[in-house]
Amino acid sequence: MDEKEVIETLRASGYKLTKARRAVIRVLVQSRRKLTAQEILEKGKEEDPKLGIVTVYRTLEILGEIGVAKRLHGESGCHSYALSEPGEHRHYLICKGCGAVIEFEGYEEIGALLSRLEKETGFQITDHWLQVFGYCPRCRERVNEGGGK
Amino acid sequence: MDEKEVIETLRASGYKLTKARRAVIRVLVQSRRKLTAQEILEKGKEEDPKLGIVTVYRTLEILGEIGVAKRLHGESGCHSYALSEPGEHRHYLICKGCGAVIEFEGYEEIGALLSRLEKETGFQITDHWLQVFGYCPRCRERVNEGGGK
DNA sequence: ATAAGTGCAAATCGTTTGCACACTT
DNA sequence: AAGTGTGCAAACGATTTGCACTTAT
């Protein structure tokens, strides 16, 4: 999803495009990392200095509703948000170094696992969530070089 | 893990067994569901009427630290806690009806998926998290019968 | 023009911290 | 007895809500 597509989706869903919303969208599109609402606010202010945290939250809610952004869950209990392809994927690969987020498809492996689980537990599985953490190629280098740690 | 094992682990880790802690542990052991801190407080009060929310949080932190309870992440942003086998599993099967939590092993399917991901993305994967949602056998029946919904 | 969107301040909710008192070992 | 653990009240941080003002269509 690029900026244009996000904006189109937004309009198609009956929402107006405002300066504030464009700022939030642009931050998400340009960073492609997971960002907290606060981080989005700060970067967004570079584009729309009047941007407020409330609008950031409200915009994220709308973007979530129309499926183009998702809320990610951090260990600590605080959330981050990231752009995503529309739809119901719930699989993210997240760089612990720079926060880069890559969304990936539910490969057959997951399907196999789920049907196995259903068989073994008697559960009727409806949904799942997978977050994978690691280091992206760039951060991986940095970490491995870093000598000390 | 039953109550006795949890208590032993607690003591072995240098913590004292108190009325409050026993109450929290008992709630977790007896329900085997995911529970919010508030829910644990309420049920725990049946056993120790003086129990306070602060102690619930502190006990959950300790249980997490010694590996016998885990924090689960809910869609809304609020957390639940559940008993778990000690160690680093991060795979839970959660009933959307009654909240029952089943922990399962990281089957080969996940290993296969992860190594595939590593190859395709160049990430160095260090960790992952999987939560699977559905209906347990009992709730499944209830839902399917329920005619209306 | 007008409904939708905004920022501010205040409210809320889950969680944590400071502190004097109580309990386990 | 002595240190650990407790509850309370207050602090805290993220998120939401009420409201009068502004803006996109």
Side-chain angles (χ1 to χ4, degrees):
Chain A
M1 286 239 117
D2 61 12
E3 191 178 322
K4 199 161 280 179
E5 290 176 287
V6 173
I7 290 175
E8 248 161 56
T9 309
L10 186 72
R11 287 195 149 122
S13 309
Y15 294 103
K16 289 181 183 168
L17 177 65
T18 63
K19 217 172 164 190
R21 287 177 183 166
R22 183 187 278 113
V24 171
I25 290 169
R26 206 161 269 178
V27 170
L28 289 171
V29 170
Q30 288 178 357
S31 85
R32 304 257 160 205
R33 304 198 301 105
K34 69 184 173 61
L35 298 164
T36 62
Q38 280 301 329
E39 291 170 327
I40 294 171
L41 174 66
E42 274 144 42
K43 301 206 187 216
K45 274 187 167 167
E46 293 168 16
E47 179 156 341
D48 174 9
K50 284 188 291 177
L51 185 62
I53 189 67
V54 179
T55 301
V56 172
Y57 278 111
R58 286 196 278 229
T59 303
L60 289 170
E61 197 190 337
I62 290 172
L63 295 179
E65 185 196 317
I66 65 178
V68 302
K70 296 282 159 57
R71 177 137 86 152
L72 304 177
H73 303 254
E75 192 57 70
S76 58
C78 127
H79 294 118
S80 309
Y81 301 82
L83 207 64
S84 87
E85 293 303 311
E88 276 303 309
H89 317 268
R90 294 205 183 291
H91 311 141
Y92 305 94
L93 178 53
I94 301 164
C95 178
K96 297 206 284 193
C98 65
V101 174
I102 293 181
E103 204 172 16
F104 60 91
E105 283 293 330
Y107 292 129
E108 315 84 64
E109 289 94 335
I110 296 180
L113 171 60
L114 296 184
S115 58
R116 186 158 153 181
L117 264 183
E118 285 200 320
K119 218 167 292 170
E120 291 181 7
T121 63
F123 269 60
Q124 174 172 12
I125 291 174
T126 57
D127 200 6
H128 64 280
W129 252 21
L130 178 60
Q131 287 187 196
V132 179
F133 302 93
Y135 293 96
C136 71
R138 203 178 310 175
C139 291
R140 177 177 186 168
E141 230 177 274
R142 203 181 306 147
V143 168
N144 291 341
E145 278 172 4
K149 222 225 157 111
Chain B
M1 288 237 116
D2 62 13
E3 190 178 323
K4 199 160 280 182
E5 292 176 285
V6 173
I7 290 175
E8 249 161 55
T9 309
L10 186 72
R11 287 195 149 121
S13 309
Y15 294 104
K16 289 182 182 166
L17 178 64
T18 63
K19 214 173 166 191
R21 286 176 184 167
R22 183 187 277 112
V24 171
I25 291 169
R26 206 160 270 177
V27 170
L28 287 171
V29 170
Q30 287 178 356
S31 85
R32 305 257 161 204
R33 305 198 299 106
K34 69 183 174 62
L35 297 164
T36 63
Q38 281 301 328
E39 290 170 329
I40 294 171
L41 174 65
E42 276 145 40
K43 301 204 187 214
K45 274 187 166 166
E46 292 168 17
E47 179 156 341
D48 175 9
K50 283 188 292 176
L51 185 62
I53 188 69
V54 179
T55 302
V56 172
Y57 278 112
R58 286 196 277 230
T59 303
L60 289 170
E61 197 189 338
I62 291 173
L63 295 179
E65 186 195 316
I66 65 178
V68 302
K70 297 281 159 58
R71 177 136 85 152
L72 305 178
H73 303 254
E75 191 57 69
S76 57
C78 125
H79 295 120
S80 309
Y81 302 82
L83 208 64
S84 86
E85 292 304 310
E88 276 303 309
H89 317 268
R90 293 204 184 293
H91 311 142
Y92 304 95
L93 177 53
I94 301 164
C95 178
K96 297 205 286 192
C98 65
V101 174
I102 293 180
E103 204 172 16
F104 59 92
E105 284 292 331
Y107 293 128
E108 315 85 63
E109 290 93 335
I110 297 180
L113 170 60
L114 296 184
S115 57
R116 185 158 154 180
L117 263 183
E118 285 200 319
K119 217 166 293 168
E120 291 181 6
T121 63
F123 269 60
Q124 175 172 11
I125 291 174
T126 57
D127 200 7
H128 64 280
W129 252 20
L130 177 59
Q131 286 187 198
V132 179
F133 302 92
Y135 293 96
C136 71
R138 202 178 311 173
C139 291
R140 177 178 186 167
E141 230 177 275
R142 204 181 305 147
V143 168
N144 292 340
E145 278 172 3
K149 216 209 163 111

